[in-house]
Amino acid sequence: MTAASIQHTAPTRLEVALLHIADALTAYVGHRRDVRAERRSRELAQLRDTRPTPPDPRALDIALLKLGSRPR
């Protein structure tokens, strides 16, 4: 090995700092993505709970049978 190749094997302080910034940014973006996904799933669950269910088409027939009437 030459002296030039030995000198360039370790990252410089700037490269190390940039790697730390990149790691911190990656962690932050991952955290924000997880927070958004959690909020989205909570809101979708809330929408499912509050959305009115469509009426059962057989409900009228069932009610008429309970009253002793014949179905339509």
Side-chain angles (χ1 to χ4, degrees):
M1 272 199 222
T2 64
S5 63
I6 292 173
Q7 185 179 16
H8 292 291
T9 57
T12 64
R13 276 189 238 161
L14 176 63
E15 291 170 334
V16 170
L18 290 174
L19 286 173
H20 285 300
I21 291 171
D23 289 340
L25 185 60
T26 301
Y28 175 74
V29 169
H31 171 70
R32 294 299 306 153
R33 184 186 62 228
D34 294 342
V35 168
R36 276 195 312 272
E38 179 64 31
R39 183 175 50 225
R40 189 179 312 117
S41 68
R42 275 196 316 260
E43 289 172 356
L44 285 174
Q46 184 180 7
L47 279 175
R48 269 193 305 272
D49 293 342
T50 58
R51 185 178 62 212
T53 57
D56 186 8
R58 298 171 297 154
L60 179 62
D61 292 336
I62 292 170
L64 289 174
L65 282 175
K66 285 182 182 179
L67 293 174
S69 177
R70 292 185 341 189
R72 299 183 270 162

